[in-house]
Amino acid sequence: MFHSFSHLTCFLALLLLENHLVFVAAGPTLPQPSLVSIPLVRPTYAANAIGLGEYIHGSIIQQQNINRGIKRFASMTGRIPPSDYELLWIIHERISLLPAALQRTYQVEKIAKVLAEYHIPWLYQPTLGPKSRRVTTPSSFPVKRGAIRTAAALAYKPSLHNIGLDIESTDIGYMGTVQMGTPPRNFRLLIDSGSADLWVGAKSCRSDDGGGCGNHTFLGPHSSSSFNQSKEDWAIGYVSGSVWGYLVQDDVSIAGLTLKGHTFGVALNESSDFTSDKIPFDGLLGLGKSGISQQRVSTLLQSLRQANLIAAPIASYKLPRLADGRSNAGELTLGAMDPKHYYPRSLVKVKNVNKFGFWGVAVDAVKVGKEDMHWSNRTVVMDTGTTLIIAPKNDVDAIHGTIPGARYGDGGWMVPCNMTTIISLTIGGQAFTIDPRDVAFYPVQLNSKECVSGIGIGGVGPFYLSNEWLVGDVFLKNVYFSTNEDTDAVLIAKPRF
């Protein structure tokens, strides 16, 4: 981390010489460092500890992650996400392909009954690509203020969820610690590049099931002398849950930088997706573009910039890989890119091609091993809240057809767990490789030598007629990834491990 302007200026000058990139150095009047970082950690509880309380077959884990990715991708490209009914149907299809004993374990007959009870003909479409219904919504769906008073009203969820198995992945992503209130207390926040709002639970928070909001840290007038609640309400429906509450002003500190009286949200009502004691975070910090904020206030990133605490509204991500044995090696940097995390000569700066307030780039080429796929017209949306790479069927099939030992079975692609084939995406003229361990995503069965692939088939609307991919952690763990709202640019470099 840099602690002086002179060091940062020297580094930026070096980048200008080596990469011909245009950066504007912050002025010397900054009262604080123009680059700050906090550790990023990933919860270590595994998918086999969720749902049925036992090891879940890899094909189901793969589909749960695809389902979550499809919903996020839909909202990031201006389409209505598929319904829970549609996603459960796909899970049912995957279970139906497993041996009979496993079908009974995963209650396939109960799922079929639930599907029959909630069968709605116009909605039903048993394919991986739900109906195209183009809208203009961000990944967090706006709700008219004052229109609701319970999070449950944001999304109708009948007994489709009462099947003992999650329809979507519960892989929640990465967390960082921020201090709030007076005296300051630590809050563990989910870091999300796909939304732009900051919120934590209120002291009086209630779950939509009538209970409390779990064993979490809460904020209110009794715990913070600088807490000031307004009468302005807000509500957000995320892909995996919903919240509503009131805007407040209170002190917020991140990596030693303090915003006095920052405006953000406290949640009075949270859906059960956020209230379980198993959920390890206390709220959410969105680092997306300000245009997708549903609270309609200055984002934390923009407020830090406006207070001259950081040089620019830049968020940079070094995502940890648990397989490396360094579970706490991740880091979020605000205000700039941290040079200790990447190789300067590999840095590329590319235009953001996403028109819905998220982050997307054009891909120049895709290689699988030594095989050039001759694809020069693909675009990818980059999202830290997505685990897998999700792409159209033809692309996914072609990629796996080039990986030795890969096969299609149980409704998805599988690869050897010890695969060595390296896949690369060329962006801005620079090839970025994917560690084969990330493609060999999850063992098909416990101690299996075969893994489900981290590259899954999925689509929304006219997805199969386009060349769009959703790129999550399977790729992003292999790069140093940065976004700049001022320049509407994405910066990517090869990481230093």
Side-chain angles (χ1 to χ4, degrees):
M1 184 186 302
F2 284 106
H3 292 284
S4 72
F5 174 78
S6 60
H7 288 168
L8 180 57
T9 303
C10 291
F11 173 71
L12 291 173
L14 178 63
L15 287 185
L16 286 169
L17 290 173
E18 294 188 351
N19 299 282
H20 308 289
L21 296 175
V22 179
F23 286 87
V24 178
T29 58
L30 287 176
Q32 303 251 6
S34 58
L35 176 156
V36 294
S37 300
I38 61 171
L40 281 182
V41 298
R42 186 160 203 158
T44 56
Y45 67 92
N48 61 356
I50 299 172
L52 297 172
E54 60 183 38
Y55 193 87
I56 297 179
H57 194 276
S59 64
I60 298 176
I61 294 294
Q62 183 187 53
Q63 192 60 52
Q64 288 172 327
N65 279 279
I66 290 173
N67 282 357
R68 177 177 172 83
I70 287 173
K71 291 181 75 173
R72 288 182 71 90
F73 184 84
S75 53
M76 290 179 176
T77 53
R79 302 174 185 121
I80 292 178
S83 68
D84 285 347
Y85 181 93
E86 292 168 299
L87 297 181
L88 181 57
W89 175 267
I90 301 172
I91 291 285
H92 174 265
E93 284 188 319
R94 296 294 295 265
I95 295 175
S96 298
L97 296 172
L98 298 178
L102 285 176
Q103 290 186 34
R104 290 191 295 271
T105 298
Y106 301 130
Q107 305 180 66
V108 66
E109 292 183 359
K110 181 177 180 180
I111 296 175
K113 182 179 180 181
V114 169
L115 287 169
E117 290 174 351
Y118 286 88
H119 173 65
I120 306 173
W122 67 266
L123 188 60
Y124 173 81
Q125 190 174 0
T127 69
L128 294 180
K131 295 178 181 178
S132 172
R133 288 163 285 173
R134 182 169 291 276
V135 294
T136 54
T137 57
S139 70
S140 49
F141 312 122
V143 180
K144 184 177 180 181
R145 297 185 179 193
I148 64 168
R149 282 296 178 271
T150 64
L154 286 170
Y156 176 55
K157 294 182 179 179
S159 62
L160 292 176
H161 286 259
N162 300 327
I163 58 174
L165 188 70
D166 293 305
I167 296 175
E168 301 170 45
S169 165
T170 49
D171 190 353
I172 61 174
Y174 302 90
M175 301 182 305
T177 300
V178 173
Q179 292 73 42
M180 293 182 173
T182 305
R185 292 184 302 146
N186 288 339
F187 287 78
R188 300 189 79 186
L189 303 182
L190 181 65
I191 306 298
D192 184 15
S193 67
S195 64
D197 296 297
L198 168 63
W199 62 266
V200 296
K203 279 285 187 181
S204 55
C205 178
R206 305 297 294 175
S207 173
D208 60 5
D209 61 10
C213 289
N215 184 24
H216 298 124
T217 302
F218 301 101
L219 188 66
H222 298 296
S223 61
S224 173
S225 61
S226 51
F227 181 91
N228 182 24
Q229 180 172 308
S230 74
K231 295 182 180 180
E232 191 80 3
D233 64 343
W234 57 274
I236 304 173
Y238 296 98
V239 163
S240 57
S242 50
V243 290
W244 77 265
Y246 287 94
L247 294 177
V248 301
Q249 292 80 41
D250 208 341
D251 297 347
V252 178
S253 297
I254 183 167
L257 302 184
T258 300
L259 286 170
K260 294 289 187 180
H262 180 60
T263 301
F264 59 97
V266 293
L268 296 178
N269 185 271
E270 299 175 10
S271 66
S272 56
D273 309 81
F274 297 114
T275 58
S276 168
D277 288 345
K278 293 181 180 179
I279 298 297
F281 57 85
D282 306 309
L284 189 143
L285 171 57
L287 293 171
K289 299 175 73 172
S290 55
I292 63 174
S293 168
Q294 300 308 306
Q295 294 173 348
R296 303 172 196 170
V297 298
S298 179
T299 65
L300 180 72
L301 204 56
Q302 289 286 2
S303 293
L304 287 169
R305 190 273 187 88
Q306 292 162 8
N308 287 328
L309 296 177
I310 59 175
I314 295 173
S316 303
Y317 306 86
K318 179 184 182 295
L319 301 184
R321 179 186 288 111
L322 294 179
D324 289 338
R326 300 190 297 271
S327 61
N328 293 321
E331 195 166 81
L332 166 69
T333 300
L334 304 181
M337 299 180 75
D338 191 333
K340 74 172 182 286
H341 288 317
Y342 69 96
Y343 293 99
R345 290 184 179 274
S346 70
L347 180 64
V348 298
K349 178 181 179 180
V350 292
K351 179 183 178 182
N352 177 29
V353 299
N354 185 273
K355 305 301 183 183
F356 296 91
F358 303 95
W359 301 103
V361 300
V363 175
D364 305 325
V366 179
K367 288 187 70 175
V368 183
K370 297 181 179 180
E371 182 77 18
D372 186 341
M373 306 305 291
H374 300 290
W375 297 335
S376 59
N377 62 340
R378 303 301 191 266
T379 60
V380 299
V381 177
M382 296 183 166
D383 177 32
T384 63
T386 294
T387 299
L388 305 184
I389 294 173
I390 298 175
K393 183 179 187 302
N394 289 343
D395 288 357
V396 175
D397 289 350
I399 288 171
H400 289 93
T402 313
I403 299 175
R407 71 176 183 90
Y408 189 85
D410 298 331
W413 279 97
M414 304 176 190
V415 297
C417 292
N418 62 351
M419 66 170 281
T420 58
T421 304
I422 294 177
I423 299 170
S424 68
L425 306 183
T426 299
I427 299 168
Q430 175 71 57
F432 296 97
T433 60
I434 303 174
D435 191 312
R437 294 176 297 171
D438 298 324
V439 179
F441 174 61
Y442 186 91
V444 173
Q445 299 189 65
L446 196 60
N447 300 319
S448 172
K449 294 182 179 180
E450 193 171 46
C451 288
V452 293
S453 176
I455 303 174
I457 298 170
V460 177
F463 188 89
Y464 291 102
L465 302 179
S466 71
N467 299 304
E468 296 174 304
W469 296 12
L470 176 64
V471 169
D473 302 342
V474 165
F475 176 75
L476 295 179
K477 283 186 289 189
N478 295 274
V479 299
Y480 188 59
F481 165 55
S482 184
T483 60
N484 186 331
E485 185 171 356
D486 269 1
T487 61
D488 197 25
V490 177
L491 296 97
I492 309 171
K494 294 182 179 180
R496 296 181 188 267
F497 292 109

